[in-house]
Amino acid sequence: RKEVEQDPGPFNVPEGATVAFNCTYSNSASQSFFWYRQDCRKEPKLLMSVYSSGNEDGRFTAQLNRASQYISLLIRDSKLSDSATYLCVVSNTGNQFYFGTGTSLTVIP
Amino acid sequence: EAGVAQSPRYKIIEKRQSVAFWCNPISGHATLYWYQQILGQGPKLLIQFQNNGVVDDSQLPKDRFSAERLKGVDSTLKIQPAKLEDSAVYLCASSGLTGRRFEAFFGQGTRLTVV
């Protein structure tokens, strides 16, 4: 079983739409959770950490449900510049980072 | 702050040849990772170093891949001999404490094509 599972998409949404990505993780002892963004032919970059209480950064909201081992990312008012692959990342006590396959998002004018 | 440096950016080799990649992590980061990212997939951890010791190399194909971090700073990843299925982007990352949690920072990667 994979450490992190994501729906690969692709998601094609119009500008201004709200889109949500989900992922699940298998290790209940996982410690830290993140969403990374990866643009085409670029390296992954941290988008936001995910906290148990949920957190928001502008148009982006991340949620964590430890009981269900489930992480989500909500993007409101999508912009063309949001087009990218969004990677769900989980790390454990050994400071190891496990990546999902990534969810591809294309925002259409 | 300088980021993770990797070289070369691109490499094309024939199968059965050897290749080496270099990484310089963010200053002060004790943990260094090598990931392999095949097109359309997420990064897969190959090896993790803590200073100059190996923490996890369970997914490193040891018959052909090797990595070292002799002085606990720079690292090299070698493939010998290369196979067609090794074509991928090889990402180096290092992690450091940001606030109360460790975050991973990536280099730009080396795009390897084996023909």
Side-chain angles (χ1 to χ4, degrees):
Chain A
R1 185 180 174 187
K2 291 184 180 179
E3 293 274 349
V4 182
E5 305 231 29
Q6 279 184 262
D7 177 355
F11 284 68
N12 300 312
V13 302
E15 270 186 291
T18 295
V19 61
F21 306 137
N22 306 311
C23 94
T24 57
Y25 59 95
S26 60
N27 186 351
S28 59
S30 297
Q31 294 284 306
S32 300
F33 309 88
F34 309 89
W35 284 100
Y36 275 70
R37 171 186 169 135
Q38 187 171 25
D39 291 292
C40 187
R41 303 179 75 86
K42 299 285 190 181
E43 74 275 21
K45 291 187 177 178
L46 179 67
L47 176 66
M48 58 196 302
S49 297
V50 187
Y51 300 102
S52 296
S53 55
N55 48 300
E56 188 173 310
D57 182 2
R59 297 180 293 107
F60 298 83
T61 301
Q63 297 277 355
L64 168 65
N65 184 322
R66 282 191 182 269
S68 301
Q69 294 179 206
Y70 172 95
I71 306 161
S72 66
L73 177 68
L74 183 77
I75 305 176
R76 292 181 301 277
D77 188 22
S78 300
K79 310 290 185 192
L80 296 177
S81 56
D82 295 334
S83 297
T85 296
Y86 290 84
L87 296 157
C88 179
V89 184
V90 172
S91 73
N92 61 16
T93 53
N95 200 15
Q96 289 158 334
F97 293 80
Y98 297 96
F99 287 75
T101 305
T103 300
S104 172
L105 171 67
T106 301
V107 180
I108 303 163
Chain B
E1 177 183 287
V4 177
Q6 286 189 250
S7 68
R9 289 292 309 280
Y10 305 93
K11 192 74 179 179
I12 301 174
I13 61 171
E14 294 183 350
K15 60 184 179 184
R16 292 187 289 275
Q17 284 188 323
S18 302
V19 65
F21 313 130
W22 172 84
C23 173
N24 178 248
I26 292 173
S27 178
H29 282 189
T31 308
L32 182 148
Y33 315 79
W34 283 102
Y35 284 85
Q36 179 193 59
Q37 187 173 25
I38 293 171
L39 188 65
Q41 298 181 20
K44 182 184 94 171
L45 178 67
L46 292 176
I47 188 167
Q48 176 186 354
F49 291 95
Q50 180 75 17
N51 297 309
N52 60 348
V54 175
V55 173
D56 182 3
D57 63 357
S58 58
Q59 297 201 80
L60 187 73
K62 298 179 188 65
D63 57 333
R64 298 184 301 104
F65 286 63
S66 63
E68 59 183 15
R69 193 184 185 200
L70 292 176
K71 296 182 179 179
V73 180
D74 293 4
S75 176
T76 55
L77 176 69
K78 296 179 181 177
I79 307 175
Q80 181 180 11
K83 292 185 175 181
L84 296 177
E85 60 260 37
D86 298 332
S87 294
V89 176
Y90 291 84
L91 294 160
C92 179
S94 66
S95 70
L97 200 58
T98 303
R100 292 180 294 160
R101 56 174 53 185
F102 283 89
E103 294 177 1
F105 300 86
F106 285 83
Q108 291 182 301
T110 297
R111 186 173 298 274
L112 173 68
T113 303
V114 183
V115 298

